[in-house]
């Protein structure tokens, strides 16, 4: 895969993990190796330290990536849990959930909820991929950049601007794109309009998608419909020079409708022999996000900065899940004969407002200073309303909060210095950030009548990156980074009581005394090129201290008055454990055989364990990677990509392993004319059956894994017309 310019606020402390050869055999090497760091002037990719994966708009189109869970399938060390239409989350080097900070156009993306990054109820994929210009993943602890939650890494989404559709001097431009995605039997259309009038630029991008569930290999998943729409509007007024003010409005909505209500009716699935018959059922999920941002950017030098960015934003995310079921109950042995209608509506809402700022100042030839201030406030709530009715009479009407409605305030002050020594051979980039955090439950009470605690924390995070140019073709880099994460509201405040079966009841208790999680990442890498071969390799070691996980604190077997078994009752609570460690290696190489032909490969190895118990972390993937070849000429380009994974044997006692696999994907892009292009893709070309390990991580040994197998052979295509 190709890598292209990186453009996000990484503040000089991160760089891309792939380097392209500076030879005539690398067709676009001159333009590919420049990046923009914290809005400063472009600099060569090979001159900064750290590991970053980049996915560009061109790759999204050529590889036919139509959903967030597909974005990183060719990127080493980055994975997405969840399926299209469901809750999704991003894992970076084996760590996910809200321990990875996700930023979109400078704004925080909503937090997830439910299962700490795997099998979530609320995911973080409220994103339309067709609006994206590029995606960048800075790997490793990086709280000195963005503060709390950057424990394992940062994912930065950048959307398109009007200038991406307008050539110099053009006043009107845009495109219309339509296509089909076989993975979800989805059709989509994306019209875009860009307008430039004197100093004023505007962009209007819309996308409409209509599809179905993502099926497994045997196509046994419950069917449901997926509809989504996205509207992105950007207005930019250019002031003198490179200065501008801009306004953006970003709205995304997705609705799924299915004929199954498992969350509501799971308890009754096996009771037909006792007279409990399910007559009808339905589920509806509605996800929505709306963000406003006002931004000021200046490159007019002053005494305190050469460049400055200031933005105000408001981002709102909601997910409402509704389920309905009707039971025809004929169970006289239990004294129940009735038609029962049941409803359950769950609402998740998060609202964030923020002020973000960063600036840079070149002090002299060897020092460039970066600094900034962030202030944000987030309100979150999670309610569940249950309603039961028999013959028009209500038998249950109850609303509960899974955690109290709360307010989180964050403030951070950061500074970093990019220092150059030995005539530019050695670059050192230290950075430090102070963060303050307060979580207020608004005087809410626990079920026992005692108040939830207000949690207030502060933290100082440090980062140090170094890069040494051994010669013009070879560089070595090293980086140390710290991360921290204050316990989230859903871990500290959750109160949850559930009876999933007739013989099992569990309860999750709140925990007011949790400590912040912290992390330390050490990374050492080598990158360079030898003739037509470019290569990059990095080894990393990350230790997570005071790691939060659910702990069984009580287990009882309950018996009836006659001494017969009734049920098992267990209580859980989130608690800090001493530490977990993840270490691994990532490597990539590109061989430019000619201006038209390229071979490429990458691989990622991870190993993660609980340092106290020695148990393996279930979020760790086996050794995996991509091998491929590409051909490009003036009008046609094509790629063959082999995604592979080794057998996963590093599992805990009683847990399932997963077989290794290799699957072939093929893409073809053709420029029909200057203004029209066609992209085709075939995923799993050989129609191979395989089960990605993360789909079944932690499952019991002997489980039927086929339900979570990957789809068989699928075809995707898109047609784009630019004007």
């Amino acid at each position: 895969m190709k890598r292209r310019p990186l453009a996000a606020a990484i503040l000089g402390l991160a760089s891309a993990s792939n380097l392209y050869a500076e030879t005539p055999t690398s067709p676009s090497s001159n333009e590919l190796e420049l990046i923009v760091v914290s809005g400063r002037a472009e600099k060569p990719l090979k001159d900064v330290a750290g590991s970053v994966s980049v996915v560009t708009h061109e790759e999204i189109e050529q590889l036919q990536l139509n959903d967030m869970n597909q974005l990183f399938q060719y990127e080493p060390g980055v994975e997405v849990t969840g399926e299209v239409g469901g809750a999704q989350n991003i894992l970076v080097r084996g760590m996910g959930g809200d321990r990875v900070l996700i930023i979109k156009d400078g704004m925080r993306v909503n937090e997830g909820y439910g299962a700490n990054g795997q099998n979530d109820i609320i995911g973080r994929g409220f994103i339309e991929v067709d609006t994206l210009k590029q995606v960048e993943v800075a790997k490793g602890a990086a709280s000195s950049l963005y503060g709390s939650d950057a424990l394992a890494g940062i994912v930065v989404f950048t959307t398109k601007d009007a200038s991406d559709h307008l050539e110099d001097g053009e006043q009107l431009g845009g495109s219309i794109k339509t296509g089909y995605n076989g993975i979800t039997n989805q059709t989509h259309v994306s019209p875009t309009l860009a307008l430039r009038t004197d100093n004023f630029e505007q962009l209007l991008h819309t996308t409409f998608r209509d599809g179905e569930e993502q099926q497994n290999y045997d196509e046994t998943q419950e069917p449901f419909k997926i509809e989504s729409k996205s509207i992105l509007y950007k207005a930019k007024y250019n002031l003198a020079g490179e200065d501008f003010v801009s306004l953006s409005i970003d709205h995304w909505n997705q609705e799924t409708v299915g004929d199954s209500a498992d969350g509501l009716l799971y308890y009754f699935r096996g009771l037909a022999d006792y007279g409990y018959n399910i007559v009808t059922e339905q589920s509806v999920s509605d996800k929505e996000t709306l963000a406003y941002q006002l931004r000021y950017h200046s490159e007019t030098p002053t005494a305190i900065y050469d460049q400055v960015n200031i933005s105000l934003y408001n981002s709102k995310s909601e997910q409402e899940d509704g389920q309905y079921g009707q039971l025809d109950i004929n169970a006289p042995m239990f004294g129940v004969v009735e038609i029962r209608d049941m409803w359950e509506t769950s609402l998740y809402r998060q609202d964030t407002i923020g002020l973000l700022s960063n600036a840079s100042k070149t002090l002299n030839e060897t020092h460039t200073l970066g600094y900034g201030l962030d202030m944000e406030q987030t309100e979150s709530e999670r309610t569940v309303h249950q309603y039961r009715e028999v013959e028009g009479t209500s038998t249950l009407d109850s609303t509960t909060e899974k955690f109290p409605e709360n307010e989180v305030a964050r403030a951070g002050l950061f500074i970093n210095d990019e220092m150059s020594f030995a005539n530019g051979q050695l670059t050192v980039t230290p950075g430090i950030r102070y963060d303050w955090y307060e979580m207020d439950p608004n005087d809410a009470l626990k079920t026992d009548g005692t108040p939830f605690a207000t949690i207030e924390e502060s933290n100082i995070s440090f980062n140090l990156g170094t890069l040494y140019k051994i010669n013009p073709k070879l560089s070595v880099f090293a980086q140390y980074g710290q991360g921290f994460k204050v316990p989230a509201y859903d871990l500290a405040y959750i109160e949850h009581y559930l009876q999933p079966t007739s013989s099992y009841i569990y309860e999750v208790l709140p925990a007011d005394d949790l400590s912040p999680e912290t992390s330390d990442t050490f990374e050492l890498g080598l990158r360079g090129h030898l003739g037509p071969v470019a290569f990059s390799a990095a080894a990393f070691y990350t230790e997570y201290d005071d790691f939060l996980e659910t702990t069984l604190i009580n287990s009882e077997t309950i018996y009836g008055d006659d001494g017969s078994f009734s049920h098992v009752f267990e209580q859980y609570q989130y608690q800090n454990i001493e530490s977990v460690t993840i270490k691994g290696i990532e490597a990539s190489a590109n061989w430019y055989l000619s201006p038209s032909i390229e071979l490429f490969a990458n691989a990622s190895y991870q190993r993660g364990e609980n340092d106290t118990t020695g148990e393996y972390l279930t979020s760790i993937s086996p050794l995996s990677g991509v091998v491929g070849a590409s051909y490009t000429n003036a009008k046609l380009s094509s790629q063959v990509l082999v995604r592979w994974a080794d057998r996963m044997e590093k599992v805990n006692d009683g847990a399932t392993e997963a077989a290794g696999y290799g699957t072939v994907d093929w893409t073809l892009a053709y420029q029909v004319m200057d203004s029209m292009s066609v992209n085709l893709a075939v995923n799993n070309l050989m129609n191979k059956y395989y089960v990605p390990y993360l789909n079944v991580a932690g499952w019991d040994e002997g489980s039927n894994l086929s339900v979570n197998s990957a789809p068989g052979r699928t075809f995707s295509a898109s047609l784009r017309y630019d004007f």
Side-chain angles (χ1 to χ4, degrees):
M1 288 180 61
K2 301 243 192 284
R3 300 290 186 273
R4 293 178 172 79
L6 178 61
I10 305 297
L11 302 176
L13 303 181
S15 77
S17 59
N18 293 282
L19 177 66
Y20 281 74
E22 299 174 0
T23 71
T25 57
S26 175
S28 305
S29 60
N30 290 332
E31 66 181 72
L32 295 185
E33 67 168 18
L34 293 180
I35 65 171
V36 177
V37 181
S38 187
R40 296 199 296 267
E42 289 183 332
K43 64 185 301 181
L45 181 65
K46 62 182 182 295
D47 287 351
V48 286
S51 292
V52 174
S53 286
V54 183
V55 180
T56 67
H57 166 68
E58 291 83 1
E59 291 172 329
I60 290 173
E61 290 222 348
Q62 184 173 5
L63 297 170
Q64 293 293 286
L65 309 178
N66 286 282
D67 190 82
M68 193 182 84
N69 80 331
Q70 302 165 9
L71 277 178
F72 305 109
Q73 59 187 357
Y74 304 107
E75 297 295 319
V78 187
E79 295 168 291
V80 180
T81 61
E83 298 181 341
V84 179
Q88 299 176 11
N89 224 310
I90 299 175
L91 276 69
V92 177
R93 289 177 170 172
M95 187 59 65
D98 294 328
R99 298 182 177 97
V100 174
L101 180 61
I102 302 180
I103 302 291
K104 183 180 181 184
D105 288 337
M107 300 173 285
R108 281 176 174 258
V109 169
N110 70 286
E111 296 169 291
Y113 168 74
N116 213 14
Q118 293 177 282
N119 304 313
D120 285 322
I121 297 172
I122 310 296
R124 310 180 74 187
F126 293 14
I127 289 172
E128 171 51 56
V129 298
D130 206 47
T131 65
L132 299 177
K133 178 160 51 179
Q134 62 189 15
V135 188
E136 303 144 27
V137 184
K139 303 173 184 177
S143 286
S144 65
L145 304 179
Y146 285 102
S148 178
D149 303 345
L151 197 71
I154 304 170
V155 181
V156 178
F157 293 93
T158 303
T159 60
K160 300 171 189 174
D161 298 308
S163 58
D164 296 311
H165 295 272
L166 297 170
E167 300 290 342
D168 291 341
E170 279 189 336
Q171 292 184 320
L172 180 66
S175 66
I176 183 165
K177 175 184 171 185
T178 185
Y180 170 78
N181 175 21
I183 295 176
T184 55
N185 195 26
Q186 177 195 94
T187 58
H188 63 272
V189 59
S190 299
T192 305
L193 182 65
L195 178 66
R196 179 187 289 138
T197 307
D198 296 326
N199 294 331
F200 191 47
E201 297 178 5
Q202 298 181 82
L203 171 77
L204 180 63
H205 179 105
T206 58
T207 299
F208 303 92
R209 298 181 183 271
D210 188 356
E212 299 173 353
E213 75 289 340
Q214 179 177 322
Q215 276 292 354
N216 54 26
Y217 187 87
D218 296 324
E219 299 187 355
T220 60
Q221 298 281 31
E222 293 287 347
F224 58 88
K225 298 291 184 181
I226 309 173
E227 291 184 1
S228 67
K229 56 181 178 290
S230 168
I231 300 176
L232 173 66
Y233 173 75
K234 287 187 173 183
K236 177 180 177 183
Y237 185 77
N238 295 297
L239 306 171
E242 298 297 321
D243 299 0
F244 65 83
V245 292
S246 64
L247 170 70
S248 67
I249 303 173
D250 191 356
H251 176 257
W252 177 87
N253 174 253
Q254 183 184 80
E255 183 180 72
T256 63
V257 179
D259 295 328
S260 176
D262 277 340
L264 182 65
L265 298 175
Y266 177 82
Y267 179 82
F268 301 98
R269 291 291 185 202
L271 299 181
D273 291 342
Y274 298 95
Y276 286 77
N277 297 292
I278 299 173
V279 178
T280 185
E281 55 185 304
Q282 186 183 53
S283 62
V284 177
S285 180
D286 192 0
K287 307 179 184 74
E288 184 172 24
T289 185
L290 177 62
Y292 303 89
Q293 184 179 50
L294 181 64
R295 180 186 175 200
Y296 170 72
H297 171 87
S298 175
E299 295 185 24
T300 301
T302 69
I304 59 173
Y305 64 80
D306 295 328
Q307 177 176 272
V308 66
N309 289 281
I310 302 173
S311 68
L312 291 167
Y313 80 91
N314 179 212
S315 178
K316 301 178 181 179
S317 298
E318 286 189 4
Q319 178 170 322
E320 185 175 77
D321 301 304
Q323 297 188 77
Y324 167 73
Q326 186 182 75
L327 295 176
D328 183 351
I329 306 174
N330 185 15
M333 70 286 290
F334 302 123
V336 182
V337 178
E338 64 188 29
I339 302 295
R340 181 186 302 172
D341 294 289
M342 308 169 64
W343 290 265
E344 183 174 280
T345 303
S346 304
L347 174 67
Y348 176 87
R349 181 185 63 83
Q350 192 165 82
D351 188 346
T352 300
I353 59 173
L355 167 66
L356 309 174
S357 64
N358 66 79
S360 65
K361 178 68 177 178
T362 299
L363 303 180
N364 52 49
E365 292 182 356
T366 61
H367 288 268
T368 299
L369 199 65
Y371 59 94
L373 171 68
D374 298 338
M375 294 186 294
E376 295 171 305
Q377 179 171 301
T378 299
E379 296 180 357
S380 306
E381 67 172 319
R382 170 69 171 179
T383 60
V384 177
H385 179 231
Q386 294 180 310
Y387 184 78
R388 306 286 185 268
E389 188 176 278
V390 176
E391 297 181 359
T393 301
S394 174
T395 58
L396 175 65
D397 189 350
S398 168
T399 299
T400 58
E401 294 180 332
K402 294 300 181 182
F403 51 81
E405 184 175 352
N406 59 85
E407 297 178 359
V408 173
R410 291 180 290 266
L413 179 66
F414 59 90
I415 186 170
N416 72 286
D417 187 10
E418 183 178 295
M419 302 180 290
S420 178
F421 303 97
N423 295 320
Q425 274 189 283
L426 176 64
T427 301
V428 181
T429 53
I432 192 168
R433 176 174 174 130
Y434 170 79
D435 280 280
W436 170 85
Y437 177 106
E438 182 183 73
M439 181 164 61
D440 184 358
N442 295 312
D443 299 322
L445 301 178
K446 305 174 188 176
T447 54
D448 63 5
T450 60
F452 287 97
T454 296
I455 297 176
E456 184 176 355
E457 298 284 352
S458 62
N459 190 78
I460 295 177
S461 305
F462 178 71
N463 184 292
L464 178 64
T466 61
L467 183 139
Y468 182 72
K469 299 178 182 177
I470 300 173
N471 58 50
K473 296 183 178 181
L474 185 64
S475 298
V476 61
F477 65 87
Q479 183 172 219
Y480 167 69
Q482 294 180 330
F484 88 103
K485 176 175 174 54
V486 178
Y489 50 83
D490 59 326
L491 304 189
Y493 295 154
I494 187 170
E495 282 194 291
H496 185 57
Y497 183 92
L498 186 65
Q499 183 173 0
T501 70
S502 59
S503 59
Y504 179 65
I505 301 175
Y506 74 90
E507 182 180 22
V508 182
L509 302 176
D512 293 335
D513 57 348
L514 299 177
S515 299
E517 297 174 290
T518 61
S519 64
D520 296 272
T521 294
F522 301 87
E523 184 175 13
L524 181 65
L526 179 71
R527 65 166 67 95
H529 64 271
L530 180 62
V533 178
F535 57 88
S536 177
F540 64 90
Y541 177 95
T542 303
E543 183 174 295
Y544 299 87
D545 294 320
D546 290 319
F547 193 76
L548 285 171
E549 68 172 16
T550 53
T551 302
L552 177 64
I553 61 174
N554 180 48
S555 180
E556 298 180 61
T557 301
I558 308 300
Y559 297 92
D561 294 337
D562 60 355
S564 62
F565 170 79
S566 175
H567 62 275
V568 172
F569 175 65
E570 293 183 335
Q571 290 179 308
Y572 293 84
Q573 188 178 56
Y574 280 96
Q575 294 184 357
N576 294 104
I577 64 172
E578 185 175 346
S579 65
V580 302
T581 298
I582 299 177
K583 53 191 174 183
I585 300 174
E586 295 167 356
S588 65
N590 299 72
W591 184 10
Y592 301 93
L593 295 176
S594 73
S596 299
I597 301 175
E598 174 191 351
L599 304 180
F600 52 87
N602 64 51
S604 172
Y605 170 79
Q606 305 164 6
R607 182 185 179 95
E609 296 178 353
N610 182 317
D611 296 331
T612 301
T613 65
E615 292 187 336
Y616 294 111
L617 302 181
T618 57
S619 58
I620 299 299
S621 291
L623 173 66
S624 58
V626 175
V627 177
S630 68
Y631 170 81
T632 304
N633 64 24
K635 287 192 172 184
L636 184 144
S637 64
S638 182
Q639 294 188 78
V640 176
L641 307 102
V642 179
R643 290 181 288 128
W644 59 271
D646 196 6
R647 181 177 183 85
M648 187 53 166
E649 298 177 334
K650 296 182 178 64
V651 299
N652 298 314
D653 291 343
T656 187
E657 298 183 358
Y661 64 86
T663 180
V664 181
D665 299 337
W666 173 72
T667 73
L668 176 69
Y670 182 66
Q671 195 74 31
V672 181
M673 58 182 72
D674 289 343
S675 57
M676 183 179 292
S677 59
V678 176
N679 286 276
L680 306 173
V682 184
N683 290 92
N684 197 356
L685 180 66
M686 310 307 292
N687 199 32
K688 181 179 179 61
Y689 171 87
Y690 67 99
V691 181
Y693 173 69
L694 281 183
N695 287 9
V696 296
W699 285 28
D700 292 337
E701 189 175 9
S703 299
N704 178 14
L705 307 185
S706 63
V707 66
N708 271 11
S709 59
R713 183 189 301 115
T714 58
F715 300 86
S716 300
S718 67
L719 174 67
R720 179 188 177 101
Y721 177 76
D722 297 288
F723 58 88

